[in-house]
Amino acid sequence: MTVKKDFDMPPARTIEGILKETKIYQILRPKCVNAGPEATLQQALDLMHQEKSGYVVIRDEHLRVLGMFTERDVLMKVLRKGVDLKEPVKKFMNTDLIELSKADTVGAAIDAMKKYNVRHIPLVDELGQMTGVLSVRTIVNFLSELFPTEVFNLPPKSDQHFQTAEGG
């Protein structure tokens, strides 16, 4: 006699498998803060502040990525004596960029962020036109939604260990 199951349990998915399967477009937020290369430092900083963003993609009139201006650039290049906020942002942007497409995997993006020590990756299509930006914040949000119990139950300090399961 065979027993009929009402449902089949899907196989347990590992984090590695999920990161290899999930495409960037599946987790991407629609926001993409951008400006032309003629923008001044002041305009770029105002845009970052207004949009609550850690970056501005500098693009040409055909939406091709020329560079990125990030919070790191502000700290390392702008907050120095003698910098005029009327100077063009293109003078301070990073042009040594890694680009991905929306069809690349989240795992590939994490690998690229680690390898190149970046927090934002511009996304381009097959014509090299900007289609978005993937930030480390978006990836962290995705992972925390994927594993809410594990993330919410983390101790406040990484080296902290609790004596009981509920942390009491």
Side-chain angles (χ1 to χ4, degrees), residues 82-101:
V83 173
D84 184 359
L85 294 180
K86 293 178 183 149
E87 292 186 70
V89 70
K90 68 181 176 183
K91 182 178 174 182
F92 300 91
M93 71 183 180
N94 182 5
T95 58
D96 187 24
L97 301 176
I98 178 73
E99 295 174 344
L100 294 175
S101 79

Side-chain angles (χ1 to χ4, degrees), residues 28-37 39 41-60 63-71 89 97 120-123 130-135 137-138:
L28 193 61
R29 307 289 191 253
K31 182 166 101 172
C32 182
V33 181
N34 65 87
L41 274 175
Q42 185 65 62
Q43 290 169 326
L45 292 169
D46 289 345
L47 186 58
M48 289 169 75
H49 179 74
Q50 174 187 346
E51 296 292 329
K52 296 177 177 58
S53 173
Y55 71 91
V56 176
V57 177
I58 309 304
R59 45 88 186 136
D60 68 11
L63 296 179
R64 284 191 296 264
V65 177
L66 301 174
M68 286 194 76
F69 181 69
T70 67
E71 293 167 322
V89 70
L97 301 176
H120 301 91
I121 296 179
L123 304 172
M130 176 181 62
T131 61
V133 171
L134 181 63
S135 70
R137 180 179 296 159
T138 300

